[in-house]
Amino acid sequence: MTAPDVRLDHPPASEPALDDGGSASPCPCVSTAAGPCISPLRVSGRRPGPHSGRSPDRAASRRGSEPDHAAPRSDPDPELTAARVIADRLLRGAFEVIDRRRAPASLRAGVSPAVLGMIASLSTAEVPGRAAGVAVLRTVHVRRGARGHLEVFGSYSRGERRFAVAAQLSHRTPAGSPWIVTSLRLS
């Protein structure tokens, strides 16, 4: 089998121009007596532009040093940082209860009675996506909300699927953990 002849009216920009006969123009090569022509080695110079062609040093960013081109970060709010740790712990605990790996009473200190009842009922009901696997918390973000509450939002996965989670943290008046989950939304 032979391939059919294909004629290009306009060759791609990366190809040499066609002459009148339809064949490619001769290449500027060095001919040797031993055989076919050898094209000379061309080394391109550095391209203009701000990028050097190298990937950023990820090890340096893991060590805590910022790359030169990054904007300086302000110090995070210590209260939000502490609330994020509490929210992360409570959301992981809630998912363990929903997946029947932990007793609902273990969350009593960190969630309101209404939220605890909802989580307990989800542990006995058939939750969509439970067959895909256990819930794994992926991201947790915290920001200030209205009237002194903190809004928690993030994502979790079950198998290959990703879902959203949202909660509200409120100040606890009695001693113990400074925050309590007063609202929880899973999707």
Side-chain angles (χ1 to χ4, degrees), residues 75-158:
D75 290 334
D77 185 355
E79 184 180 34
L80 289 180
T81 303
R84 184 187 174 281
V85 170
I86 292 169
D88 186 85
R89 181 177 48 85
L90 291 173
L91 289 175
R92 287 180 194 278
F95 288 131
E96 289 177 4
V97 170
I98 292 169
D99 288 339
R100 302 175 186 147
R101 297 182 289 148
R102 177 185 284 219
S106 64
L107 294 176
R108 190 167 286 145
V111 300
S112 69
V115 173
L116 184 61
M118 182 195 73
I119 292 171
S121 68
L122 285 174
S123 69
T124 60
E126 195 56 40
V127 177
R130 183 179 283 156
V134 298
V136 178
L137 189 63
R138 296 294 178 185
T139 60
V140 176
H141 304 280
V142 177
R143 70 176 187 180
R144 296 198 183 278
R147 292 174 279 154
H149 300 290
L150 295 180
E151 296 175 357
V152 179
F153 54 98
S155 65
Y156 69 100
S157 64
R158 285 186 179 274

Side-chain angles (χ1 to χ4, degrees), residues 151-172:
E151 296 175 357
V152 179
F153 54 98
S155 65
Y156 69 100
S157 64
R158 285 186 179 274
E160 296 295 319
R161 294 187 63 192
R162 282 249 167 157
F163 301 94
V165 61
Q168 183 181 35
L169 294 178
S170 301
H171 272 290
R172 178 192 293 271

Side-chain angles (χ1 to χ4, degrees), residues 30-100:
V30 178
S31 53
T32 62
C37 62
I38 301 171
S39 62
L41 178 63
R42 293 183 184 171
V43 178
S44 62
R46 182 177 173 164
R47 294 183 180 136
H51 184 64
S52 67
R54 294 179 50 176
S55 297
D57 184 14
R58 293 176 191 223
S61 63
R62 281 192 301 265
R63 289 188 300 263
S65 64
E66 298 276 337
D68 293 337
H69 62 276
R73 288 186 173 175
S74 62
D75 290 334
D77 185 355
E79 184 180 34
L80 289 180
T81 303
R84 184 187 174 281
V85 170
I86 292 169
D88 186 85
R89 181 177 48 85
L90 291 173
L91 289 175
R92 287 180 194 278
F95 288 131
E96 289 177 4
V97 170
I98 292 169
D99 288 339
R100 302 175 186 147

